[in-house]
Amino acid sequence: MLRKTSRRAFVKRSATAVAGAFVLPQIVPSSVFGMGGKLAPSDRIIIGAIGTGSQGMSNMRDFLRLGDQLQFVAVCDVDALRLSKARETVDGANKNNDCRTYMDYREFLEKEKLDAVSIALPDHWHGIIYTETINKKVAVYGEKPISRTIADGQTIVKACRKNNTIWQTGSWQRSLPNFHRGAELAINGRVGKISHIEVGLPDGGRGIGTPPVKDVPPELDWDMWLGPALEVPYRGVAHWDWRWILDYSGGQLTDWAGHHIDIANWGAGLENTGPVEISGTGVYPVDGIFNAPVEYDFICKYANGIEMRVANSSRLIHGMGTTWYGELGWVHTNRGNQLTASDPGILEEVIGENEIKLYKSENHWQNFIDCIRTGRETISPIEGAYRAISVALLGEIAMTTGETIKWDPEKEVIIGNPRASRLLSRPYRKPWTLPTV
Amino acid sequence: MKKQYIILLIVAGIFAFFTTCSDTGKYKALIITGQAEHDWQTSSAILKKLLDQTGLFNTRILSTPEKGGEMSAFNPAFSKYRLVVLDYNGEPWPENVKTAFVDYVNKGGGVVVYNESGNAFPDWKEYNQMIGLGGGEGRDQSAGPYVYFRRNEMIIDTTARLSAPAVPSQEFEIRNKITDHPVTAGLPARWLHGSDMLSGPMRGPAISLDILATAWSDPRAQGSGREEPALMVIAYGKGKIFHTTLGYPQDGGGPALECTGFITTFQRGAEWVVTGNVTQPVPLDFPSAAAASLRPGLVVPTPGEVMKNLGNYDIQKSTRYFTLLQNYIRQAGGDEKSLLNYEKMMVKVLKAPETTVEAKKLLLRELSWMGSDYCVSAIRDLAGNAELQGEAEFALARLEATK
C-alpha cells in the first residue's frame, strides 16, 4: 500500500506543479522517470479498466504493448463473460491469477487504489462514471465521445479542472503524423485564412427492424447496463449496436465527432470554443429499433466567421475526414495516412521556428502514461474533447428540433430557445444522478 | 396580314395549351402498356394512381393490341399529351407510330421509361438513344457499351457480354450520384428500396445521359458487385426523358411499387420531364439506408392517420408511426402553432383509454422536449401509474426544468 500511496501522491503533486504551465519546455529526460528502460515494479503505473467490450479491450491491448511501464490489476464490466475474458488477458500479461473483477463500478472505484483507469462505455454512462472516477483523483483514459449530452460534458470538464487530474481522450488520430501535419499546416495559414471546414463522418448503415423482446442472458446485468437511461425491455441489442440507438448514443455522428471534428478544431484553433449558430437536417430511419440519424448535414458558424459543415461522407467531395479551406486552397486528411492538398506544394511547406507547433505525440497510450508521470497535459485533453462532441450534440439538437440554434460558446447556453435547451441534458432514471463536482 | 398571323399564333397557342392540359389545369398524361413480361395491367393501374396522386396529372391508360394482334390499330395522338409513360415491352410499333413518338419527343414532349420498357425495342435506334441505356437479352455490343459504377467510379465497359447473375428479389440500396438534379435534390444519399428485381447490366448509346442514382448489386446477396443504373435522365431533341429501372410488379403491386422511394422518384421524374422543375417535396416517409419504407395500398400517410395508429403501438410492433410523428415535429421547425397542434393531438392520444402503455411511453419521451404547459397536467396524471412512472418523471423533469 505504501508503494501505491507514495506514487499517487507524486502524480498529484506533479500535476499541481505544472497546472497551467504546460507551455514550459516539455521535454523531460526519460532517465528521470526511468522511461524507456526497464522499470522496477514500484515505478509501474497501476491501472484498471471499466468496460471490457471491443474498444475497452482494444485500449487494453494498446496499453499492454507498452510493457512493464504499467500493470493492470482490476477490470469491471456488466457482462460476466466479457469480464472473464478481460481477466484472462490481464492475468496472461501479468503471468499470475491476481486480476480482480467487478460488475459494479462503484465497488471497483471504492476498493481499488489506482493511478489510472481506462474507460470505454456506452455514451449514456459517461457522465456518471467519468465524473466519479475523476472525483477519485485518478488519471483517466476515456473514450470519445466524452458525453451523451452537453450537460454531462460540462460536468466532466468541471471535474477534471477541479481535481486537476490527467485526462486523455481516445481521440488517437491526434497522435498520427498525417493528422498532426494537416492540422499544423491549417493552423499556420498554409491554406490562407481558414474560411470553412468540411468534416465527413460515416454514413449510417442498415437497421435490423424491431427484434422481439428476449430473456436477458444470465451473464448480463441489464439494469446496470441501462443505468441512467430509461428502462426498456431487452431485445438482444446491447454490445456494439447501442451505438445506433439514441438513448445511448447519437450514431456515427457522435461516434466519430471525437475524431474528425476534433482534428478540424485542432487545425483551426477552435478546440477551446464552440459555434455560435448551428442549423441542418438529418435523415432518420423510418422504422426499427435503430433510430439514430443515418445521414446528417449541418453547418456550424463560429464567431470568427469560420463555417464548419459536418455531414455523412457520401455528401462530401472529399468523403471521410477533415478538409480545411482558405483563400489559398485546401488541405484534407483522413485515415490510411491520407494527406492531400489543392496544391501539392502546400504539403512541402516548412513550419518556421516562430510558428505554431502543435503538440506532438507518436503513441497515444504512451502519451497518457508519460503525462501521468510528468504531470504534463495530454495531447487530447478534456476541454478539446468536450468542444468536439459539443459540435455534434448541437448539430443533433438542430436536427431534432428542425431549428437554427444560437449557442453562446462562453456561457455554454442555447440563446432564446427554452425548448431546444431541454435537449442539452437528460433526466436520469432513478436512483442515478449526475455526481456533484 | 401580320396582325392576323399573330392572332392565329395566339389562338394556336391557347388551343395547344388546352389540349395538353385538362380543364382543371392538370397536365394530360398517357400511359402506354399492353405487352410486357410483367403484369402490366397491375403496374399501369398503379402508375396511373401515382401520377394522379400528385395532383399534377390527368392520366389515361392506352393498351396496344395483344401480342400477335393487329398493331395498325394502335395510333396514339402523342401531341395531345405533355407526358407519355412507357410500361411496354413487346412487339415493334408501326412505323408511323414510331415516327410520331420521335417527333413528340423532339418537340419537347416528356417521357418516363418505366422498368421493363428499358428492355423494349432493341432495334429502334432513336428509342435506344432516348432511354440512354437498355437491358435484356436483345442488346449486344452494337447497342453500345455497358455503363455502371464500381467503387464510386463510372465505368464504361465494352465487354461483349457481362455476366448477369439472377439476383433474387430483395431490398437493395439506391445510391444517389447526382444530388443537385431536381428529381434527386433533397433525397438521402443512400436509401433502401423495397424488395424488387435488381436489373442486370445495361448498355446503350448513353448520349446526353445522366445517371442520377444506382442500385447496389451486393455480392453478399448474390449480386454482381456493380452499381447498376437505377434512375437516369436523358435529353433528346427538346424533350426530356426520365428512366427508372425500379418497380417490378408482384401480385397486386408489392413492395417494389409500394416503396416510397420508387413512388417519389417516379412522381418527381414525371413532373421534371414536363416542366424541367420539381415542386413535390421529399415526403416524410422517405426511406433511408437503415430501412425501406412502404406505403401499403399506396396510402400517403397524414398526421391524422399517424395519430390514429400511434395509440395501437405495442412493444413488438413497428415504430413507424412514431418516427413519422417525429418527422412531422422536426418539419415544424419550431413553429409554435404547428407544435401546439401536434401537442394537442398527442395529449388526446395520451389520455385515450384505449392507448397502449407502450404508446404512452413513446409520447411522453417526445413531449419531454417539445411539449408546452398544455401537456403538463396530463403527464402529472400519469406519474402515479407504476408502468409509466419512469417516462412521466423523465418528461416532467425536463418540462419543469425550463419553466
Side-chain angles (χ1 to χ4, degrees):
Chain A
M1 285 314 288
L2 180 66
R3 174 175 62 80
K4 288 179 187 170
T5 309
S6 63
R7 194 186 44 261
R8 289 190 71 220
F10 159 72
V11 169
K12 200 179 157 196
R13 189 173 61 248
S14 58
T16 309
V18 297
F22 50 83
V23 290
L24 290 171
Q26 290 159 354
I27 300 164
V28 178
S30 63
S31 58
V32 172
F33 302 108
M35 277 187 280
K38 189 80 178 162
L39 290 177
S42 58
D43 287 331
R44 285 184 194 158
I45 300 291
I46 301 301
I47 187 168
I50 305 176
T52 57
S54 52
Q55 192 58 42
M57 291 308 288
S58 170
N59 288 335
M60 183 185 282
R61 285 189 292 274
D62 283 313
F63 280 121
L64 288 174
R65 283 191 194 101
L66 304 180
D68 61 5
Q69 299 180 63
L70 55 87
Q71 184 177 8
F72 277 92
V73 295
V75 289
C76 176
D77 202 290
V78 295
D79 182 324
L81 290 181
R82 290 184 155 200
L83 193 59
S84 168
K85 282 187 178 168
R87 179 198 168 131
E88 282 171 25
T89 302
V90 169
D91 283 345
N94 292 339
K95 297 186 177 61
N96 61 28
N97 294 308
D98 296 346
C99 180
R100 295 175 290 276
T101 58
Y102 301 86
M103 288 191 75
D104 187 325
Y105 78 94
R106 293 168 294 193
E107 194 188 351
F108 171 98
L109 288 179
E110 189 57 41
K111 289 189 176 165
E112 294 295 331
K113 304 299 174 206
L114 304 166
D115 299 314
V117 181
S118 173
I119 305 178
L121 296 167
D123 306 352
H124 69 287
W125 258 117
H126 286 183
I128 293 174
I129 295 186
Y130 283 160
T131 308
E132 285 194 24
T133 309
I134 296 161
N135 278 348
K136 293 274 181 187
K137 303 193 189 301
V138 177
V140 176
Y141 184 98
E143 267 310 321
K144 28 59 55 183
I146 64 145
S147 66
R148 183 67 193 96
T149 65
I150 299 256
D152 285 4
Q154 287 166 337
T155 302
I156 297 162
V157 171
K158 199 172 150 195
C160 273
R161 282 187 195 140
K162 186 177 172 194
N163 291 290
N164 205 9
T165 49
I166 298 292
W167 170 280
Q168 174 82 303
T169 318
S171 298
W172 49 263
Q173 289 183 179
R174 286 195 180 206
S175 293
L176 293 185
N178 62 307
F179 291 107
H180 182 273
R181 172 76 173 148
E184 210 164 71
L185 288 169
I187 203 161
N188 284 297
R190 295 305 192 270
V191 296
K193 187 173 183 290
I194 297 171
S195 55
H196 63 288
I197 310 169
E198 281 184 351
V199 179
L201 310 178
D203 293 30
R206 199 157 166 175
I208 55 168
T210 307
V213 173
K214 290 180 179 170
D215 289 337
V216 179
E219 68 271 15
L220 180 66
D221 184 344
W222 177 240
D223 186 66
M224 195 66 170
W225 189 94
L226 287 171
L230 281 168
E231 190 180 348
V232 294
Y234 179 74
R235 295 178 188 267
V237 176
H239 305 320
W240 184 257
D241 281 332
W242 52 265
R243 186 67 81 190
W244 326 120
I245 300 174
L246 289 171
D247 276 3
Y248 322 116
S249 174
Q252 299 280 20
L253 167 61
T254 56
D255 185 16
W256 282 75
H259 290 309
H260 295 316
I261 294 176
D262 179 58
I263 296 296
N265 282 347
W266 202 29
L270 298 173
E271 58 183 327
N272 292 313
T273 186
V276 294
E277 189 181 297
I278 310 97
S279 60
T281 54
V283 175
Y284 292 77
V286 284
D287 202 355
I289 183 175
F290 294 170
N291 58 359
V294 286
E295 297 195 29
Y296 39 91
D297 197 343
F298 58 89
I299 303 275
C300 298
K301 294 182 181 172
Y302 287 80
N304 62 4
I306 292 180
E307 288 194 6
M308 186 192 294
R309 179 182 177 196
V310 179
N312 56 300
S313 56
S314 289
R315 293 171 177 250
L316 301 178
I317 289 171
H318 291 289
M320 287 285 291
T322 301
T323 315
W324 299 272
Y325 293 85
E327 74 270 21
L328 302 179
W330 52 261
V331 167
H332 171 251
T333 183
N334 187 23
R335 288 195 182 174
N337 201 26
Q338 289 181 50
L339 183 63
T340 52
S342 49
D343 171 358
I346 293 175
L347 302 178
E348 305 301 320
E349 286 278 328
V350 176
I351 304 301
E353 275 303 306
N354 298 321
E355 294 190 276
I356 299 168
K357 298 282 172 54
L358 291 179
Y359 193 132
K360 186 88 178 162
S361 149
E362 286 166 2
N363 180 311
H364 209 61
W365 298 269
Q366 181 70 58
N367 174 253
F368 175 58
I369 298 299
D370 291 349
C371 291
I372 293 173
R373 295 188 190 284
T374 62
R376 185 192 180 193
E377 190 171 60
T378 64
I379 191 169
S380 186
I382 192 71
E383 179 80 20
Y386 163 68
R387 294 297 184 171
I389 189 57
S390 296
V391 169
L393 293 174
L394 290 166
E396 187 179 55
I397 292 173
M399 296 191 297
T400 302
T401 58
E403 295 188 65
T404 297
I405 303 298
K406 305 269 187 194
W407 174 248
D408 182 335
E410 300 294 321
K411 293 180 187 152
E412 298 174 39
V413 292
I414 287 175
I415 302 163
N417 191 334
R419 191 165 40 232
S421 299
R422 290 174 185 152
L423 295 168
L424 291 170
S425 64
R426 274 190 196 173
Y428 282 174
R429 181 170 67 112
K430 283 178 183 168
W432 300 104
T433 54
L434 193 58
T436 51
V437 177
Chain B
M1 285 295 277
K2 274 184 179 173
K3 219 174 192 176
Q4 282 170 314
Y5 270 125
I6 290 164
I7 291 165
L8 250 171
L9 278 171
I10 291 168
V11 169
I14 292 168
F15 181 74
F17 179 80
F18 278 109
T19 53
T20 54
C21 295
S22 73
D23 49 4
T24 52
K26 293 178 181 177
Y27 303 113
K28 286 179 78 174
L30 178 69
I31 296 173
I32 295 181
T33 190
Q35 295 184 28
E37 286 172 27
H38 67 244
D39 175 4
W40 54 266
Q41 284 97 338
T42 295
S43 56
S44 57
I46 288 174
L47 297 181
K48 173 177 161 51
K49 189 168 179 180
L50 294 178
L51 287 177
D52 292 345
Q53 230 171 34
T54 64
L56 298 169
F57 299 103
N58 190 350
T59 311
R60 189 187 152 212
I61 298 174
L62 177 66
S63 299
T64 62
E66 285 179 21
K67 196 172 180 181
E70 180 49 56
M71 213 34 127
S72 62
F74 172 65
N75 191 11
F78 294 114
S79 61
K80 286 186 179 172
Y81 298 91
R82 295 292 299 274
L83 172 67
V84 173
V85 175
L86 299 176
D87 178 9
Y88 182 87
N89 181 21
E91 292 177 330
W93 291 349
E95 284 304 318
N96 64 316
V97 178
K98 286 163 71 175
T99 305
F101 185 65
V102 172
D103 187 52
Y104 163 80
V105 182
N106 259 328
K107 287 180 175 164
V111 178
V112 172
V113 178
Y114 157 75
N115 197 264
E116 215 187 296
S117 314
N119 291 3
F121 308 129
D123 301 322
W124 179 7
K125 188 183 166 204
E126 291 85 354
Y127 183 78
N128 280 278
Q129 195 176 325
M130 286 178 200
I131 66 174
L133 298 169
E137 296 299 312
R139 287 174 169 80
D140 59 18
Q141 261 171 312
S142 67
Y146 289 109
V147 182
Y148 54 88
F149 282 69
R150 201 187 279 281
R151 292 183 195 89
N152 220 22
E153 296 282 327
M154 188 195 281
I155 311 283
I156 295 172
D157 188 338
T158 53
T159 306
R161 183 66 69 180
L162 271 181
S163 68
V167 185
S169 271
Q170 58 181 295
E171 292 183 346
F172 50 84
E173 190 172 282
I174 303 297
R175 297 176 175 174
N176 281 352
K177 298 297 168 188
I178 298 176
T179 54
D180 57 358
H181 189 278
V183 173
T184 47
L187 300 186
R190 295 155 62 218
W191 49 274
L192 206 57
H193 175 48
S195 183
D196 199 352
M197 302 263 282
L198 209 162
S199 64
M202 300 185 78
R203 68 193 322 165
I207 298 166
S208 300
L209 164 76
D210 279 325
I211 297 178
L212 298 183
T214 58
W216 167 231
S217 187
D218 189 344
R220 288 169 301 185
Q222 302 174 48
S224 65
R226 296 185 293 262
E227 290 181 52
E228 309 288 9
L231 306 176
M232 296 168 262
V233 288
I234 304 98
Y236 186 96
K238 289 181 182 168
K240 295 185 183 67
I241 297 103
F242 173 69
H243 182 170
T244 177
T245 65
L246 307 178
Y248 192 88
Q250 294 169 17
D251 288 346
L257 283 157
E258 289 174 347
C259 168
T260 308
F262 167 77
I263 292 170
T264 305
T265 50
F266 173 76
Q267 290 174 329
R268 286 179 141 211
E271 183 179 3
W272 179 76
V273 299
V274 172
T275 68
N277 284 312
V278 170
T279 57
Q280 302 166 68
V282 181
L284 295 183
D285 59 337
F286 198 89
S288 70
S293 176
L294 305 183
R295 288 181 179 171
L298 308 178
V299 176
V300 183
T302 61
E305 188 212 353
V306 165
M307 292 295 169
K308 198 174 76 190
N309 286 284
L310 204 58
N312 306 328
Y313 171 72
D314 188 71
I315 198 74
Q316 306 289 20
K317 282 187 185 169
S318 155
T319 51
R320 177 180 171 83
Y321 290 108
F322 187 68
T323 54
L324 287 177
L325 168 69
Q326 289 177 315
N327 282 344
Y328 286 124
I329 291 167
R330 273 190 277 272
Q331 197 191 41
D335 178 65
E336 301 293 340
K337 203 175 150 191
S338 305
L339 287 173
L340 186 61
N341 189 29
Y342 289 130
E343 186 181 356
K344 285 180 176 172
M345 288 199 271
M346 289 159 77
V347 169
K348 195 174 163 193
V349 179
L350 197 63
K351 283 179 163 176
E354 66 274 19
T355 299
T356 64
V357 166
E358 295 303 327
K360 287 179 183 177
K361 285 182 179 176
L362 296 185
L363 286 166
L364 287 167
R365 281 164 170 255
E366 200 65 10
L367 286 166
S368 77
W369 74 270
M370 54 72 69
S372 68
D373 288 347
Y374 180 85
C375 68
V376 170
S377 68
I379 296 174
R380 283 211 186 100
D381 290 345
L382 298 175
N385 179 333
E387 286 182 300
L388 292 169
Q389 194 180 2
E391 280 75 7
E393 285 177 354
F394 178 90
L396 289 172
R398 256 191 178 163
L399 290 164
E400 288 169 352
T402 46
K403 272 203 160 181

